[in-house]
Amino acid sequence: MLQQEKEGKRKLFHALVKLVNELKMYKAAANNDFDNQAWYNGGLWRAPRVLPNIEQSKNNRTRSRAAVSLSDLFFTLVTVTAFTRVGLAVTKSGNVTLDSFLYFAVFWTIWSKEASYTTRFDTRDLSAKAETLVTCFAVLFASLSASAPMGSEGGSRIMLAAAFCSMLHCGLMARVFWWHRGAGDNDAVESHVQRYALFNTAMNFLESFTWIVGMLFVPYGYRWISFTVGVLLGQRVPRAFMANDFHGTLLEASREGFFH
C-alpha cells in the first residue's frame, strides 16, 4: 500500500514537471511570435501594449535580448551627443560648474524616462516612433545651449526642452492609463500598469509645471532652484510599480518579488 502511494506521487510529480515545461515552451513561442511579427501588425496607430516579457513568471531569471530598433538607436546617439556637448563645456571651463551638472542631470532624466517607457511597452507603431523622433529633436535643440549659463536664453532653451519632454511623457502615461482604465483587481498586470501610469502622469505634469514656471517667472539668479526641483521631480523608482528588463535580468526581481 505504501509502495503504491509512493508510485502515485512519483507519477504526479513527473506529470507536473512535464506540464511546467510545456507551459514554458508555449510562453517562449508566444514571445518569439511577438518579436518576429511585422511592425505594422495590429495597425499603424495602436494602443500602448505591455510587452510580453513583463508578464513573465517571477521565477524566470533570464530573458533574451530583443533587437534594438533604429529609432531607439538614433535616440541613444542623440543623447550621447548631448552628453558630449556638456563634457565639452566642462572642458572649456576647466571645472564642473553647477550649470553643467544640472544640464547633465536634465539630459539623463529625459533619457531615463524614454528608456523606461520603451522597456515596458510596445513602441513599434508609428505613434511611438513619432514620439521618439520628436524627443530626439528636443534633446538636440537643448544640447545647443550646453555651454550657456542658466541665466541666459540658452538656459531658457534647455528648460523649454525639458518641459516639452515632460508634457510629452505626461501624455504618453495618460494614454496608457486611459487604455488600461477598465482593469480589475483580478488582473494583476493590468492593475499595476494602471497604477504605474497614474503615478507617472502626475509626476510628469508636476515636472512640466515646474519647468514652465521657472522659465517664465523665476529670476535668472534663482533659476538653479527651478533646475534642481525639476530634476528631482524627474527622478523615478522605475520598478516601484512594474517589472522591466532595464537591467537585462530578472534575478533581482525574482528575489524581491514580481512587483514592488
Side-chain angles (χ1 to χ4, degrees):
M1 186 68 179
L2 183 60
Q3 186 66 24
Q4 292 179 352
E5 184 178 354
K6 289 182 178 180
E7 186 66 24
K9 290 181 178 180
R10 186 180 297 108
K11 291 181 179 180
L12 178 61
F13 174 76
H14 287 303
L16 291 175
V17 170
K18 184 178 180 181
L19 178 61
V20 170
N21 291 332
E22 290 179 353
L23 289 175
K24 288 182 178 180
M25 293 175 60
Y26 174 78
K27 189 66 175 180
N31 290 341
N32 289 334
D33 292 341
F34 179 84
D35 294 334
N36 295 328
Q37 70 180 9
W39 66 271
Y40 49 80
N41 282 4
L44 299 181
W45 301 83
R46 53 182 179 267
R49 296 181 297 171
V50 180
L51 293 176
N53 285 335
I54 297 297
E55 303 178 21
Q56 287 190 120
S57 170
K58 66 180 182 179
N59 294 323
N60 292 339
R61 296 177 179 267
T62 58
R63 65 174 63 179
S64 59
R65 277 292 183 182
V68 179
S69 65
L70 293 178
S71 57
D72 291 338
L73 180 60
F74 180 64
F75 176 74
T76 302
L77 294 176
V78 168
T79 306
V80 171
T81 300
F83 287 154
T84 301
R85 287 180 174 173
V86 174
L88 291 176
V90 172
T91 303
K92 183 178 180 180
S93 62
N95 53 23
V96 180
T97 62
L98 179 62
D99 296 20
S100 298
F101 176 78
L102 290 176
Y103 290 168
F104 177 87
V106 169
F107 292 134
W108 183 86
T109 300
I110 295 173
W111 171 83
S112 177
K113 288 189 289 189
E114 186 71 18
S116 297
Y117 182 81
T118 57
T119 53
R120 290 174 171 87
F121 302 98
D122 179 20
T123 57
R124 295 178 300 173
D125 63 311
L126 289 181
S127 61
K129 292 182 181 296
E131 181 272 330
T132 302
L133 183 61
V134 171
T135 303
C136 289
F137 282 119
V139 173
L140 285 176
F141 174 76
S143 66
L144 297 175
S145 304
S147 300
M150 286 185 289
S152 65
E153 292 184 359
S156 300
R157 187 180 292 116
I158 292 181
M159 298 179 78
L160 178 62
F164 175 77
C165 292
S166 298
M167 290 187 291
L168 192 61
H169 278 272
C170 179
L172 283 176
M173 290 294 105
R175 182 181 178 220
V176 173
F177 177 79
W178 177 261
W179 181 257
H180 297 276
R181 69 188 184 280
D185 296 334
N186 296 328
D187 195 331
V189 174
E190 294 289 330
S191 61
H192 280 83
V193 170
Q194 185 183 28
R195 185 173 65 174
Y196 169 83
L198 180 62
F199 172 79
N200 282 279
T201 300
M203 293 300 294
N204 279 292
F205 176 80
L206 291 176
E207 182 186 351
S208 61
F209 179 79
T210 300
W211 290 119
I212 293 174
V213 170
M215 180 177 57
L216 297 178
F217 302 107
V218 176
Y220 284 166
Y222 295 94
R223 273 193 171 178
W224 65 272
I225 299 177
S226 299
F227 270 85
T228 302
V229 174
V231 168
L232 291 177
L233 288 175
Q235 303 309 305
R236 303 287 187 273
V237 182
R239 299 173 66 176
F241 298 97
M242 279 182 64
N244 71 341
D245 61 351
F246 200 70
H247 300 287
T249 178
L250 287 181
L251 178 58
E252 185 178 351
S254 63
R255 290 174 176 172
E256 300 176 357
F258 184 53
F259 292 113
H260 291 259

